[in-house]
């Protein structure tokens, strides 16, 4: 069973996570040619990246079916933000070498990200965290990963470029082990708060902002 978790959050966002266990050709055969175009396939040369790409479209297809949405494929806007063709539903996706995950909501802007806590984030934390955020957290890899993933998810939620992570994206202080935190998008005329849900799966941190 490829979908290892499906859930709906209090704010109405639906999530599905797919574990990648299938082989390349098996996955490709599961996607009709109007959903997986030759141009899309040609744009991804690495076989592992193709597998992640196939699974990301399949998890979206799975979630759309589960929510009663007619899945006609994914298109991208001028900033690269994906959207579901033929519907106003909002969506976001993330892929790793082991899992892909997607979220959807009928109207709410949202973003998702999945990462493994690594030492690298400790080295670059000044680039993506504000002085206040740095002061409020210890050098704990899981917590740093939550800050990073929350900001990547907020970036995807906003969907446009020229975002300065340590100025425009904020995460309120939180205790280790919590499953919901608060994020804030502060850019141009926008000042909005968002719930950020956290899942811990097989050593990965997955966050959903919306
Ligand atoms: C685009 C970005 C968010 C993708 O994140 P990632 O961890 O590399 O990869 P993920 O698998 O989690 O997400 C990839 C998906 O993000 C989505 N995405 C890409 N651009 C997007 C945008 N502008 N808005 C919303 N979603 C976007 C796509 O659906 C993509 O998958 P696809 O190519 O298969 O359609 C990331 O590469 C990026 O550009 N981050 C901002 C970089 C930055 O400014 N960093 C400064 C930190 S100091």
């Amino acid at each position: 069973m490829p979908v290892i978790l499906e859930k709906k959050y209090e704010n109405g966002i639906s999530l599905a996570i797919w574990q990648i266990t299938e082989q390349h050709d098996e996955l490709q055969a599961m996607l009709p040619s109007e959903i997986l175009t030759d141009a899309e396939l040609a744009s991804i040369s690495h076989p592992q990246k193709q597998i992640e790409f196939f699974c990301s479209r399949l998890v979206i297809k799975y979630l759309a079916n589960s929510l009663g949405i007619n899945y006609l494929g994914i298109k991208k806007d001028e900033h690269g933000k994906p959207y579901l063709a033929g519907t106003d539903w909002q969506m976001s996706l993330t892929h790793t070498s082991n899992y892909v995950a997607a979220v959807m909501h009928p109207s709410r802007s949202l973003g998702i990200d999945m990462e493994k806590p690594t030492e690298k984030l400790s080295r670059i934390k000044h680039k993506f965290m504000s002085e206040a955020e740095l002061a409020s957290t210890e050098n704990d890899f899981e917590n740093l990963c939550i800050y990073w993933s929350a900001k990547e998810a907020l970036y995807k939620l906003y969907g446009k470029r020229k975002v300065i992570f340590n100025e425009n994206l904020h995460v309120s202080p939180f205790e280790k082990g919590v499953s919901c935190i608060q994020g804030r998008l502060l850019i141009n005329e926008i000042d909005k708060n968002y719930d950020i849900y956290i899942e811990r799966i097989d050593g990965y941190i997955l966050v959903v902002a919306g």
Side-chain angles (χ1 to χ4, degrees):
M1 180 63 188
V3 172
I4 57 155
L5 178 68
E6 185 176 3
K7 70 190 285 185
K8 192 172 208 165
Y9 294 104
E10 285 162 20
N11 59 11
I13 292 177
S14 295
L15 163 75
I17 307 174
W18 177 304
Q19 185 173 21
I20 305 176
T21 54
E22 302 83 355
Q23 300 299 309
H24 181 282
D25 294 354
E26 182 188 352
L27 290 164
Q28 189 172 352
M30 291 160 84
L31 286 163
S33 58
E34 63 272 19
I35 301 293
L36 174 68
T37 63
D38 290 345
E40 277 179 318
L41 193 55
S43 69
I44 310 162
S45 53
H46 197 286
Q48 172 59 30
K49 291 291 166 197
Q50 288 186 346
I51 287 175
E52 291 177 26
F53 184 85
F54 297 156
C55 286
S56 67
R57 273 52 191 171
L58 285 166
V59 76
I60 288 280
K61 185 169 179 263
Y62 172 91
L63 196 52
N65 287 345
S66 177
L67 295 167
I69 303 162
N70 188 19
Y71 181 59
L72 301 171
I74 295 173
K75 293 198 172 2
K76 302 268 177 89
D77 73 9
E78 71 268 33
H79 308 287
K81 185 176 187 175
Y83 63 92
L84 285 168
T87 154
D88 291 334
W89 277 66
Q90 301 290 309
M91 58 144 292
S92 181
L93 63 86
T94 183
H95 22 84
T96 70
S97 48
N98 299 313
Y99 298 93
V100 293
V103 277
M104 287 188 198
H105 188 276
S107 58
R108 224 180 160 97
S109 297
L110 38 66
I112 187 169
D113 191 52
M114 191 168 187
E115 307 276 347
K116 264 213 168 128
T118 60
E119 186 269 334
K120 182 186 166 210
L121 289 175
S122 176
R123 281 186 272 124
I124 63 163
K125 62 186 178 184
H126 291 92
K127 291 189 177 170
F128 65 91
M129 293 170 71
S130 67
E131 290 303 324
E133 289 167 342
L134 288 165
S136 71
T137 189
E138 289 169 23
N139 203 24
D140 174 277
F141 292 167
E142 180 181 298
N143 278 5
L144 292 179
C145 187
I146 290 171
Y147 274 98
W148 170 254
S149 297
K151 292 188 179 207
E152 285 273 281
L154 286 167
Y155 172 88
K156 291 183 189 175
L157 176 155
Y158 178 58
K160 301 184 185 71
R161 296 176 213 282
K162 294 190 181 162
V163 176
I164 303 170
F165 275 39
N166 57 10
E167 289 181 18
N168 303 131
L169 308 176
H170 300 272
V171 175
S172 298
F174 58 90
E175 297 293 327
K176 192 168 171 62
V178 295
S179 56
C180 185
I181 60 176
Q182 297 302 305
R184 185 177 176 199
L185 175 62
L186 192 57
I187 187 164
N188 302 325
E189 304 304 307
I190 302 170
D191 182 357
K192 275 191 171 176
N193 294 304
Y194 294 94
D195 288 333
I196 298 188
Y197 298 102
I198 303 163
E199 309 288 344
R200 295 165 178 85
I201 293 152
D202 188 21
Y204 284 89
I205 293 295
L206 179 142
V207 307
V208 174

